[in-house]
């Protein structure tokens, strides 16, 4: 199963302070906007999403159809197929994708320790 680009999505209290901190660690802003309350920061192939007042807690994020530069992959496993395989394996989902649609969609699930995982397909 190929889940796509990986990043950690952090729920932050002060977007500018977090941006400044991660810049000191060598990260640069690659996407997002402070007026939209989120930034995607990159250092090499490492991605961190900073989100202010958008969700509670932190989560692991996978983006089917994208590489680590948010560039489209020629072929990828659709989130609905990933969902089907997860359900067949007995994995419980907190939010399921609408299987009657195509294109952008997402699912949520938790690992055994309650860590949130987002599989978010943008195309």
């Amino acid at each position: 199963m190929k889940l796509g680009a990986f990043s950690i999505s952090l729920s932050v209290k002060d977007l500018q302070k977090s941006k400044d901190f991660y810049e000191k660690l060598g990260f640069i802003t690659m996407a997002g906007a402070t007026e939209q309350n989120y930034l995607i920061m990159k250092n090499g192939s490492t991605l961190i999403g900073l989100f202010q007042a958008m969700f509670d807690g932190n989560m692991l994020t996978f983006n089917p159809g994208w590489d680590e530069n948010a560039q489209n992959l020629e072929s990828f496993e659709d989130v609905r197929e990933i969902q089907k395989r997860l359900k067949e394996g007995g994995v419980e989902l907190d939010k399921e994708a609408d299987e009657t649609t195509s294109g952008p969609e997402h699912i949520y699930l938790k690992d055994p320790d309650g860590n949130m995982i987002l599989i978010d397909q943008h195309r």
Side-chain angles (χ1 to χ4, degrees):
M1 183 177 331
K2 294 189 178 185
L3 301 175
F6 171 75
S7 63
I8 183 94
S9 296
L10 302 176
S11 178
V12 301
K13 295 176 185 172
D14 184 315
L15 186 60
Q16 188 60 51
K17 281 185 182 178
S18 294
K19 176 184 182 284
D20 294 345
F21 175 81
Y22 283 101
E23 285 177 340
K24 290 174 185 173
L25 295 179
F27 284 82
I28 60 167
T29 300
M30 83 171 260
T34 53
E35 61 274 4
Q36 293 178 341
N37 290 330
Y38 83 98
L39 296 170
I40 308 301
M41 308 288 293
K42 184 172 183 179
N43 181 330
S45 62
T46 303
L47 299 172
I48 298 175
L50 305 176
F51 298 86
Q52 183 175 318
M54 294 181 80
F55 54 84
D56 292 327
N58 302 322
M59 67 181 115
L60 306 174
T61 301
F62 298 92
N63 299 111
W66 276 3
D67 67 13
E68 68 274 2
N69 295 309
Q71 298 297 305
N72 291 341
L73 298 172
E74 273 191 44
S75 64
F76 65 95
E77 192 166 352
D78 188 89
V79 69
R80 293 155 195 84
E81 181 60 30
I82 293 169
Q83 172 176 284
K84 179 181 175 188
R85 292 176 63 187
L86 291 172
K87 289 171 70 173
E88 286 171 354
V91 175
E92 185 178 320
L93 303 177
D94 293 284
K95 190 269 181 199
E96 294 187 17
D98 182 348
E99 294 179 2
T100 66
T101 64
S102 63
E105 182 59 281
H106 65 280
I107 61 177
Y108 288 110
L109 57 142
K110 292 183 187 131
D111 74 8
D113 294 302
N115 298 304
M116 201 60 147
I117 300 170
L118 168 65
I119 302 176
D120 190 14
Q121 180 176 306
H122 294 282
R123 62 185 191 105

